[in-house]
Amino acid sequence: MFPEPKEGKTRRVGFLLLPGFSMNSFTFAMEPLRVANKVAREELYDCPVFSLDGKNVEASNGLRLEVQGDLTSASEPENIILCGGHNISGFDASDFLPWLRAVGRQGKMIGALYTASYYLAKAGLIDKTNCAVHWEYLSAFKETFPDIETSNELFEVSAKGFTCVGGTAGLDMMLNFISDLHGFELARMVADQFVHERIRDRREFQYFGLSARYSIQDQRLLRVIQIMEDHLEEPLSLEELSKIAGSSRRQLERMFSKQFNKSPARYYSELRLYRSRQLIMQTKMRIIEVALACGYNSSAHFSRCYRNFFGCTPLSERKLPSQSQKL
């Protein structure tokens, strides 16, 4: 991932904190490099921190961090890592995207944590290769960039840079990089400092499968839920789902009632509504476009269903501050 510096030279890894950045994604990626210096008793890494305008920047948890410079200074390190937050495209990127493209043309290694992959894609720096996207933002990313292949893995590395889903995945990613550059023993010692029992490989998925998520062993029910999740834009009928499950409609209704205390139709409807809320909060798609993407034929019908379930209309939801931004 990080190109080898000249012999005896400290590797500079700059972190560019975007407005509302995720504090835990940033610290899980930066701290392993600091700890590697401590354990190795050598300054292997220098990790300056920057913001768009050089001013202190506020994280999603409300804390403000002091930085060492603005975009001009952020161009200097040979490795640059963008740190995103919950509110995708929540700031004016008119100066940021041209800067990002210019840095990309210099051949520097650029990485993205959490939602910052959105800006790499917007700047045309991901192409169509696999892009690691946090599961919560996957639907919005696919709708915005349909030509880019997405990945459910913890992080993806290419010749240009990397994308990482954020959170604790940043720790595993950096431990893998430290292992590649300085040997597994140093990476293991850094992991020990974090009381991190096992260094996960990038090929591990970022969340549990359906069976683990819902504690379900019935393969028929698991198959139906997976099909529902794969067919939100064009919902299937209960008869079609029953056929897939190899059971009658009555048996399917009993399975859902026992597991979720709701009908399969209700479960399916809630899946579509939760997906629509992600698109409302994370994209600039028109309401009718969100409605169609989630299996509704009209914006009026979609708005009624949305209001009945969430207590507000899709349009008013979009105007509200995101409740997740302080999480």
Side-chain angles (χ1 to χ4, degrees):
M1 166 51 196
F2 297 142
E4 288 287 349
K6 295 179 180 179
E7 187 176 353
K9 182 180 178 182
T10 299
R11 180 177 285 100
R12 296 195 75 209
V13 182
F15 287 84
L16 179 59
L17 307 182
L18 303 180
F21 71 97
S22 168
M23 181 69 80
N24 67 3
S25 294
F26 163 60
T27 53
F28 273 124
M30 190 270 283
E31 281 294 286
L33 304 182
R34 181 191 66 81
V35 174
N37 291 344
K38 170 189 170 185
V39 172
R41 297 185 178 182
E42 180 183 352
E43 192 173 10
L44 302 174
Y45 302 97
D46 175 34
C47 304
V49 180
F50 310 97
S51 67
L52 298 179
D53 55 9
K55 298 178 181 179
N56 294 353
V57 59
E58 184 174 320
S60 59
N61 61 7
L63 296 178
R64 298 186 69 85
L65 256 64
E66 183 177 346
V67 300
Q68 282 79 57
D70 58 8
L71 287 179
T72 301
S73 303
S75 303
E76 297 172 0
E78 57 267 34
N79 310 285
I80 303 168
I81 299 178
L82 313 177
C83 304
H86 301 290
N87 191 9
I88 301 177
S89 68
F91 65 91
D92 182 6
S94 56
D95 293 329
F96 174 51
L97 291 177
W99 173 88
L100 198 53
R101 295 186 184 102
V103 171
R105 287 193 294 270
Q106 296 173 21
K108 295 195 175 186
M109 195 65 66
I110 307 175
L113 296 174
Y114 198 33
T115 61
S117 55
Y118 171 90
Y119 298 100
L120 283 187
K122 198 78 172 174
L125 298 179
I126 292 184
D127 298 327
K128 296 182 180 181
T129 58
N130 276 345
C131 177
V133 181
H134 189 282
W135 63 266
E136 185 180 5
Y137 299 92
L138 188 58
S139 299
F141 191 94
K142 286 182 174 180
E143 291 289 342
T144 307
F145 307 106
D147 294 332
I148 295 179
E149 295 180 14
T150 56
S151 165
N152 188 34
E153 295 178 355
L154 298 179
F155 55 95
E156 291 284 353
V157 182
S158 70
K160 290 185 177 181
F162 70 84
T163 51
C164 175
V165 302
T168 58
L171 171 59
D172 292 288
M173 178 182 67
M174 288 304 187
L175 290 172
N176 275 274
F177 292 158
I178 291 170
S179 178
D180 290 343
L181 294 171
H182 303 290
F184 177 76
E185 184 60 22
L186 177 61
R188 184 194 62 77
M189 294 171 68
V190 173
D192 288 345
Q193 292 289 310
F194 286 90
V195 197
H196 193 58
E197 181 180 3
R198 182 174 65 89
I199 302 176
R200 293 179 293 176
D201 183 83
R202 73 171 182 85
R203 287 180 289 272
E204 295 193 33
F205 289 158
Q206 59 180 293
Y207 60 86
F208 298 118
L210 289 175
S211 179
R213 271 193 280 164
Y214 298 118
S215 298
I216 299 174
Q217 300 303 320
D218 191 323
Q219 294 302 310
R220 295 176 302 169
L221 184 55
L222 289 172
R223 188 160 58 250
V224 170
I225 293 174
Q226 185 64 65
I227 292 297
M228 285 180 171
E229 292 187 353
D230 292 340
H231 292 79
L232 298 181
E233 186 171 353
E234 297 181 359
L236 303 179
S237 68
L238 291 186
E239 286 71 22
E240 291 173 308
L241 292 172
S242 299
K243 186 176 180 180
I244 291 171
S247 62
S248 67
R249 174 170 175 164
R250 189 178 183 86
Q251 289 173 322
L252 185 64
E253 289 176 338
R254 282 201 296 265
M255 284 190 285
F256 273 86
S257 178
K258 180 180 179 180
Q259 183 68 39
F260 301 109
N261 197 30
K262 63 186 66 172
S263 69
R266 180 63 178 176
Y267 182 90
Y268 206 173
S269 175
E270 290 180 4
L271 272 182
R272 292 159 58 204
L273 286 168
Y274 279 120
R275 174 66 57 84
S276 73
R277 194 181 200 197
Q278 291 178 337
L279 297 179
I280 289 292
M281 302 298 289
Q282 299 165 12
T283 74
K284 295 182 180 180
M285 295 170 63
R286 293 182 301 153
I287 301 301
I288 183 59
E289 291 174 331
V290 173
L292 293 175
C294 297
Y296 295 90
N297 294 324
S298 74
S299 57
H301 179 220
F302 167 60
S303 295
R304 284 196 301 272
C305 294
Y306 196 98
R307 183 178 62 248
N308 290 338
F309 189 66
F310 291 115
C312 62
T313 65
L315 187 58
S316 61
E317 177 95 276
R318 176 166 279 171
K319 294 178 180 178
L320 292 172
S322 174
Q323 296 301 310
S324 66
Q325 287 185 24
K326 296 298 181 180
L327 297 182

